């Protein structure tokens, strides 16, 4: 049993002012594995005061000093990768192999890319007009993260603050506190000065809202649902804070007849089901060119059949459970909606897979003959549910892909380099993957439209945390 009854504030673990608690649950067994103390606005005040005080000196550190600290952070993160992975498996059900190789590894991959970006960043330069431009850390940054990629999201926010000389208060998802606590231990061991990084646990309406509205927080970096993103934007507006948002998605995967169909369909299905469908950039709408549509349905059904579901504690390439009962109910409701809307059930369906009745496991599901106005094609389901939609022309495929309120990612499968470039240009999405290849650490990640504001990762991720200042060249 884990008892998480301390917050990391001002370089030390302190008892919270808040008095509430919440169970930490394992989604695979639906059993309680710990208890989390929940913070209050007073805890946020304490953490922001520490971050504000630390900013005075940390913002004046040199780039070599911050690079040295980041390299120490890298050493410790590498050493604790297994601990991070085990925590995420326990608290949100990421399968052991994927949790280590992808979920926990993201804390290392992003860090390496941020080190490269900081090395390349010009903190001061002379503009063509002769004025001197400097890039300075923005101040205290409030960070609010979700449960589905816990360390990935924390790394994308905390590291650029540490890299630029900003200080921060992190509120991780109340559902994934174990990995967040380990991350705080990592930052502590790396040797950051007290107050540079602070961790306050709690829920969105209490701790998240207090961070967002706090007068001494200069910027709020939020990842989560579009619903909460709107609330964060509203609450931050009176303080004229900088707000960056990484929100939901309903990403299209455009499959053209000239691609390697067997491979691309199998991979497209697996990518949709990865992390049990709980990824903001999951390719959840597969659009298939009409002449190969029937064949694609057969291939997709085979891929769904081959998708193993199982105990996340065991190594292997299976997927685990959804992360909680609310998520389970939501996915069941959406599957029922798809059936009611008249879509053809190609694989999976309602209920739990055989032998996995205890946890929040679901059946990997595919709907065929979906039209883009059905709820299952429009709403983010956040489970392993794929919809397949036929199209006749490239123009039609692009129109369907862009006919969504989101714009996070898009996927293109084609044997033609010209088509890949042409179609990518017309897709209203921040990240385009082509023939199974996505972007690497260090590339900007973020979305158009209701998928967010701003970009995370690499040099663009650093820029979000910087203010620009100009002064003329000195003349006596
Ligand atoms: P959520 O919006 O419920 O919660 C996210 C975080 O916001 C949590 O820490 C929560 O406590 C906090 N929060 C909730 N209400 C708040 C409020 N009013 N003020 C301040 N904070 C508040 O989302 P979730 O269920 O944890 O995560 C799933 C969502 O996150 C999905 O929509 C997914 O697409 C999105 N997501 C987006 C990205 C991306 O990079 N675009 C990445 C991962 C997840």
């Amino acid at each position: 049993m884990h008892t998480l009854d301390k917050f990391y504030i001002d370089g030390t673990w302190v008892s919270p002012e808040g008095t509430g608690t919440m169970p930490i649950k394992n989604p695979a067994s639906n059993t309680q594995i710990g208890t989390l103390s929940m913070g209050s606005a007073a805890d946020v005040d304490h953490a922001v005061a520490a971050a504000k005080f630390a900013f005075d000196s940390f913002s004046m550190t040199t780039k070599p000093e911050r690079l040295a600290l980041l390299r120490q952070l890298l050493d410790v993160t590498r050493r604790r990768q297994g601990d991070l992975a085990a925590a995420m498996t326990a608290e949100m059900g990421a399968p052991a192999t994927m949790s280590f190789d992808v979920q926990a590894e993201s804390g290392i991959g992003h860090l390496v890319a941020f080190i490269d970006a900081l090395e390349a960043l010009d903190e001061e330069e002379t503009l063509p007009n002769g004025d001197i431009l400097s890039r300075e850390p923005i101040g205290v940054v409030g960070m609010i993260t979700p449960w589905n990629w816990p360390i990935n999201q924390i790394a994308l926010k905390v590291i650029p603050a540490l890299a630029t000389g900003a200080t921060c208060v992190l509120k991780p998802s109340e559902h994934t506190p174990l990995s967040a606590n380990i991350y705080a231990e990592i930052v502590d061991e790396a040797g950051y000065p007290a107050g540079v990084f602070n961790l306050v646990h709690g829920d969105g309406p209490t701790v998240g809202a207090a961070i967002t509205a706090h007068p001494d927080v200069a910027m709020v970096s939020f990842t989560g649902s579009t619903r909460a993103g709107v609330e964060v934007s509203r609450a931050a507006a009176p303080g004229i804070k900088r707000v960056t948002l990484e929100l939901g998605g309903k990403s299209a995967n455009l499959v053209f007849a000239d691609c390697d169909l067997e491979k691309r369909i199998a991979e497209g299905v697996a990518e949709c089901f990865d992390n049990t469908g709980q990824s903001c950039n999951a390719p959840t709408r597969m659009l298939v060119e009409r002449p190969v549509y029937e064949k694609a349905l057969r291939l997709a059904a085979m891929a769904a059949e081959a998708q193993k579901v199982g105990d996340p504690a065991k190594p292997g390439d299976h997927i685990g459970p959804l992360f909680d009962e609310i998520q389970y109910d939501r996915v069941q409701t959406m599957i029922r909606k798809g059936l009611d809307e008249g879509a053809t059930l190609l694989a999976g369906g309602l209920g739990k897979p055989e032998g996995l009745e205890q946890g929040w496991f679901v059946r990997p599901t595919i709907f065929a003959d979906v039209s883009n106005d059905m709820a299952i094609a429009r709403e983010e389901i956040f489970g392993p549910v794929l919809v397949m939609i036929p199209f006749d022309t490239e123009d039609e495929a692009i129109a369907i892909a862009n006919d969504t309120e989101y714009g996070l990612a898009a996927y293109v499968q084609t044997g033609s380099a010209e088509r890949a470039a042409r179609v990518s240009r017309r897709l209203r999405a921040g990240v385009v993957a082509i023939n199974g290849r996505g972007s690497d650490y260090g590339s900007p990640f973020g979305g158009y439209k209701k998928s967010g504001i701003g970009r995370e990762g690499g040099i663009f991720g650093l820029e979000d945390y910087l203010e620009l200042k100009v002064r003329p060249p000195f003349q006596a």
Side-chain angles (χ1 to χ4, degrees), residues 174-404:
E174 58 274 38
H175 303 291
T176 47
L178 297 178
S179 54
N181 263 34
I182 294 172
Y183 203 80
E185 290 169 9
I186 291 171
V187 175
D188 182 68
E189 195 184 333
Y192 279 90
V196 167
F197 167 87
N198 304 275
L199 169 74
V200 178
H201 287 293
D203 64 22
T206 315
V207 172
I211 289 174
T212 307
H214 201 291
D216 291 331
V217 169
M219 163 178 171
V220 182
S221 176
F222 173 84
T223 299
S225 61
T226 300
R227 172 202 62 78
V230 171
E231 286 179 37
V232 165
S233 300
R234 274 208 193 98
I240 320 289
K241 296 180 200 309
R242 185 178 298 174
V243 176
T244 58
L245 303 170
E246 298 290 348
L247 308 174
K250 190 75 189 176
S251 301
N253 182 2
L254 291 71
V255 181
F256 291 94
D258 62 358
C259 76
D260 178 349
L261 202 67
E262 276 81 6
K263 199 163 175 216
R264 301 270 66 92
I265 297 286
E267 278 187 16
V269 170
E271 275 181 73
C272 175
F273 293 165
D274 185 46
N275 208 34
T276 320
Q278 303 166 118
S279 297
C280 47
N281 59 346
T284 47
R285 292 185 294 147
M286 186 183 276
L287 319 183
V288 185
E289 199 165 5
R290 186 90 59 187
V292 294
Y293 180 65
E294 290 302 325
K295 187 172 177 196
L297 295 187
R298 286 194 298 278
L299 292 167
M302 277 162 54
E305 204 60 42
Q307 177 65 66
K308 287 171 278 173
V309 184
D311 182 355
K314 292 195 177 135
D317 60 0
H318 54 287
I319 59 170
L322 292 171
F323 112 99
D324 76 352
E325 184 173 10
I326 296 169
Q327 203 57 32
Y328 178 83
D329 288 344
R330 174 168 169 74
V331 171
Q332 296 301 303
T333 303
M334 291 305 293
I335 294 175
R336 205 168 292 116
K337 238 183 217 179
L339 296 170
D340 293 347
E341 283 176 315
T344 306
L345 188 66
L346 194 67
L350 290 165
K352 295 184 178 179
E354 223 180 284
L356 292 169
E357 284 80 14
Q358 208 182 343
W360 302 117
F361 294 94
V362 285
R363 301 167 69 194
T365 295
I366 301 182
F367 283 108
D369 309 328
V370 172
S371 79
N372 202 48
D373 56 1
M374 292 180 180
I376 51 172
R378 303 208 78 78
E379 292 176 32
E380 186 180 49
I381 299 175
F382 238 48
V385 181
L386 176 70
V387 303
M388 295 182 70
I389 304 174
F391 68 84
D392 289 302
T393 64
E394 192 177 296
D395 280 349
E396 188 192 359
I398 291 164
I400 298 172
N402 288 338
D403 178 18
T404 166

Side-chain angles (χ1 to χ4, degrees), residues 437-448:
R437 179 137 189 239
S439 48
D440 215 339
Y441 291 124
S443 283
F445 184 86
Y448 288 29

